[in-house]
Amino acid sequence: MMKPGHLFKRLFYGTTDRLLVQFVRYFFVGGFAFVVDFGLLYILTEYAGLHYLLSATLSFISGLLVNYIISCIWVFSNSKFKNRLVEFLFFAAIGVVGLLLNDALIWLFTDCIGTHYMFSKIVAAAIVYLWNFFARKYLVFR
């Protein structure tokens, strides 16, 4: 049986190729990126007066950058690419698909179903999270 301290260390320290550990770490990274994304969505819509879809796009891009930086440092240590620019372009391409899915879902839930845009964002974020993790895990990182 693994001691709690050893489990904590395995989950949060050092590099790993273990899918479960990466998934747990990506959950925390995704959570932090979501806070950035969600907070900016609210600020840009409510205080800057931008349309919620423009705010959603800008905030998603900000979350994408946060996610990329932390994921490269802490979640996925082995890239399939030697060139960081190529790696980022693949990471961003997956993010663009996620962005399109994000904006489509927010629009669908807000304009078609009538829910508040912030609730729509929560639903979209959960779906896009799964897309982003598995696409990045298998297409960008080893």
Side-chain angles (χ1 to χ4, degrees), residues 37-126:
D37 183 357
F38 197 72
L40 278 175
L41 171 61
Y42 183 77
I43 291 167
L44 292 173
T45 304
E46 297 298 324
Y47 294 104
L50 298 179
H51 187 272
Y52 75 90
L53 283 177
L54 177 58
S55 297
T57 300
L58 296 173
S59 65
F60 186 91
I61 292 168
S62 298
L64 172 78
L65 292 172
V66 166
N67 192 309
Y68 174 72
I69 292 166
I70 299 173
S71 288
C72 287
I73 294 169
W74 189 49
V75 179
F76 306 113
S77 58
N78 296 320
S79 176
K80 290 183 178 182
F81 306 99
K82 294 188 188 307
N83 185 321
R84 281 283 189 190
L85 178 60
V86 172
E87 175 188 87
F88 178 75
L89 291 175
F90 272 86
F91 194 93
I94 292 166
V96 167
V97 172
L99 172 61
L100 294 173
L101 186 58
N102 176 72
D103 285 358
L105 289 168
I106 291 173
W107 172 81
L108 176 71
F109 283 103
T110 303
D111 283 4
C112 298
I113 297 175
T115 60
H116 191 271
Y117 73 94
M118 295 299 282
F119 177 78
S120 300
K121 174 61 183 177
I122 292 170
V123 174

